[in-house]
């Protein structure tokens, strides 16, 4: 396999997505048994994690995955300590770091930055989030979480709630789920609707969706409730953020009529849209979801580097 990057979830076919699910499951089983088969798979390799934008889960779960596979990590989590702060361009930064590693995992504030980096780099690039655009590794762990909890990816009703306009996680997840027989319900303030290009994709594929502005009272027939944060950092106008920031707060009492198998996912961090009383609910899955991030990212890295167990 030549150099292959993961910039958008559309870079992977449905078959590749399903293959990642299988590899992630193999890693989960291996780690449960002590991780003997995983350890050493990437011995001697170096992977760079370049985070131009803050992160807890994505960076640390990638670094955990890299360490569990026996590779070394180099990188930065704060550009203030790099030559970017002296004015070095993204082109030059990526050209240079390509010489130091076998793969680059990069998060950037600008939409399209990861695609550009993949065109400059001599090694595979994984987009760890580019502005409001895409977050494909999150999507693969989300799909893995959905498959693990529901036993299937087809025939599910998925509700997405919150910032559907700027939310890169919901954009990537919608595209991935459009390979399957999914019905969508979008819940957002009118200012933060799912962008038209994503709704058009569903129309083209003949997939059903509906749009709501209210959450309470609409949860009874949902299989996956995908909550998201209203993202302060994406708003140009602070007043607009203030107007919508507390629109949705999920409380345990709102879940009383839900399907027994319904699971709540959230890419995290949360900032109030899921009340603490939901954490003890059997529907809450967001903290188990982060664990799946390690398995999914181990699978992505090995798949792109064409390393087999
Ligand atoms: N889900 C996610 O991208 O979280 P971080 O911003 O903490 O990486």
């Amino acid at each position: 396999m030549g150099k292959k990057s993961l910039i958008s979830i559309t870079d992977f076919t449905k078959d590749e997505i399903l293959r990642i699910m299988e590899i992630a499951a193999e890693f989960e089983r291996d780690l449960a048994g002590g991780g003997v088969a995983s350890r050493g798979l990437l011995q001697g390799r170096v992977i760079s994690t370049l985070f131009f934008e803050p992160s807890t889960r994505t960076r640390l779960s990638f670094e955990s995955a890299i360490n569990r596979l026996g590779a070394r990590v180099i990188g930065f989590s704060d550009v203030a300590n790099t030559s970017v702060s002296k004015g070095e361009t993204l082109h030059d930064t990526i050209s240079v770091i390509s010489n130091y590693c076998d793969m680059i995992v990069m998060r950037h504030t600008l939409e399209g930055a990861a695609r550009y980096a993949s065109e400059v780099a001599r090694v595979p690039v994984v987009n760890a989030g580019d502005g409001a655009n895409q977050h494909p590794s999150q999507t693969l762990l989300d799909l893995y979480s959905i498959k693990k909890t529901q036993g299937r990816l087809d025939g599910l009703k998925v509700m997405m709630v919150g910032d559907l306009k700027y939310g890169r996680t919901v954009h990537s997840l919608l595209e991935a789920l459009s390979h399957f027989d999914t019905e969508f319900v979008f819940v957002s303030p009118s200012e933060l609707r799912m962008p038209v290009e994503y709704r058009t994709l569903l129309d083209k594929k003949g997939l059903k969706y509906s749009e709501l502005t209210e959450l309470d009272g609409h949860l009874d027939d949902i299989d996956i409730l995908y909550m998201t944060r209203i993202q302060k950092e994406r708003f140009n106008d602070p007043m607009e953020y203030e107007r919508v920031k507390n629109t949705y707060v999920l409380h345990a009492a709102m879940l009383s009529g839900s399907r027994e198998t319904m699971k709540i996912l959230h890419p995290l961090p949360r900032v109030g849209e899921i009340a603490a009383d939901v954490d003890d609910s059997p529907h809450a899955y967001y903290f188990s979801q982060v664990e799946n991030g390690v398995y999914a990212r181990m699978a992505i890295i090995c798949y792109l580097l064409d390393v087999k167990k």
Side-chain angles (χ1 to χ4, degrees):
M1 183 161 75
K3 185 194 96 160
K4 184 169 173 67
S5 292
L6 175 60
I7 305 303
S8 163
I9 196 65
T10 57
D11 293 339
F12 276 2
T13 63
K14 179 179 178 180
D15 282 348
E16 286 179 302
I17 289 172
L18 293 172
R19 181 69 193 127
I20 294 288
M21 303 292 103
E22 287 170 3
I23 302 171
E26 286 168 21
F27 280 126
E28 179 171 1
R29 282 192 293 274
D30 182 51
L31 291 192
V36 176
S38 309
R39 212 177 299 147
L41 267 184
L42 295 186
Q43 191 86 41
R45 311 262 187 147
V46 176
I47 298 181
S48 296
T49 56
L50 312 181
F51 279 70
F52 294 77
E53 188 184 75
S55 167
T56 297
R57 279 146 290 273
T58 310
R59 185 172 69 83
L60 294 177
S61 63
F62 262 115
E63 293 188 358
S64 174
I66 294 164
N67 278 291
R68 288 178 191 283
L69 290 164
R72 301 270 181 152
V73 184
I74 59 171
F76 55 79
S77 57
D78 182 357
V79 285
N81 296 323
T82 72
S83 290
V84 174
S85 66
K86 302 173 198 164
E88 187 163 56
T89 62
L90 182 61
H91 174 279
D92 290 1
T93 301
I94 296 299
S95 294
V96 168
I97 293 171
S98 280
N99 293 287
Y100 303 152
C101 62
D102 301 291
M103 173 179 277
I104 292 172
V105 177
M106 185 181 95
R107 170 171 289 187
H108 204 284
T109 48
L110 292 180
E111 295 180 27
R115 181 71 67 197
Y116 179 66
S118 73
E119 286 161 7
V120 172
R122 291 191 284 109
V123 296
V125 174
V126 179
N127 180 8
D130 61 332
N133 188 31
Q134 283 273 322
H135 196 348
S137 68
Q138 176 72 45
T139 293
L140 290 164
L141 81 88
D142 292 342
L143 286 182
Y144 187 70
S145 302
I146 292 171
K147 186 150 192 295
K148 207 165 136 180
T149 60
Q150 306 297 317
R152 66 193 199 281
L153 289 170
D154 273 304
L156 298 174
K157 191 164 181 178
V158 176
M159 178 182 269
M160 296 177 167
V161 181
D163 180 357
L164 306 187
K165 179 179 178 183
Y166 300 116
R168 57 195 177 198
T169 59
V170 288
H171 299 162
S172 294
L173 183 58
L174 178 150
E175 288 183 324
L177 283 171
S178 76
H179 289 299
F180 304 93
D181 174 26
T182 310
E183 181 176 346
F184 295 89
V185 182
F186 302 133
V187 182
S188 73
S190 55
E191 303 93 313
L192 297 177
R193 282 179 74 191
M194 182 61 77
V196 65
E197 61 267 32
Y198 296 103
R199 287 181 275 131
T200 303
L201 172 72
L202 299 184
D203 288 336
K204 278 189 187 148
K205 292 200 161 187
L207 294 173
K208 273 173 66 177
Y209 68 86
S210 53
E211 295 185 279
L212 302 170
T213 53
E214 296 294 323
L215 174 61
D216 204 4
H218 299 281
L219 293 168
D220 291 7
D221 62 347
I222 300 298
D223 297 300
I224 293 291
L225 173 56
Y226 195 91
M227 297 293 295
T228 67
R229 173 175 67 95
I230 308 278
Q231 303 170 98
K232 187 178 185 180
E233 66 274 25
R234 305 278 177 240
F235 286 80
N236 292 323
D237 178 358
M239 291 307 292
E240 194 190 339
Y241 171 71
E242 288 301 320
R243 217 170 25 249
V244 295
K245 68 178 184 186
N246 294 323
T247 310
Y248 305 111
V249 182
L250 184 68
H251 291 279
M254 293 159 69
L255 302 169
S256 57
S258 301
R259 286 182 175 162
E260 212 171 297
T261 53
M262 190 275 273
K263 293 296 175 199
I264 304 161
L265 273 60
H266 191 311
L268 302 178
R270 64 173 160 178
V271 290
E273 59 278 2
I274 300 179
D277 68 357
V278 179
D279 294 357
D280 294 329
S281 157
H283 299 293
Y285 193 72
Y286 29 93
F287 291 121
S288 302
Q289 188 183 350
V290 295
E291 179 191 324
N292 294 333
V294 176
Y295 314 134
R297 287 170 173 135
M298 288 172 83
I300 293 165
I301 292 166
C302 286
Y303 184 76
L304 294 177
L305 291 176
D306 201 18
V307 170
K308 296 180 180 73
K309 265 202 317 145

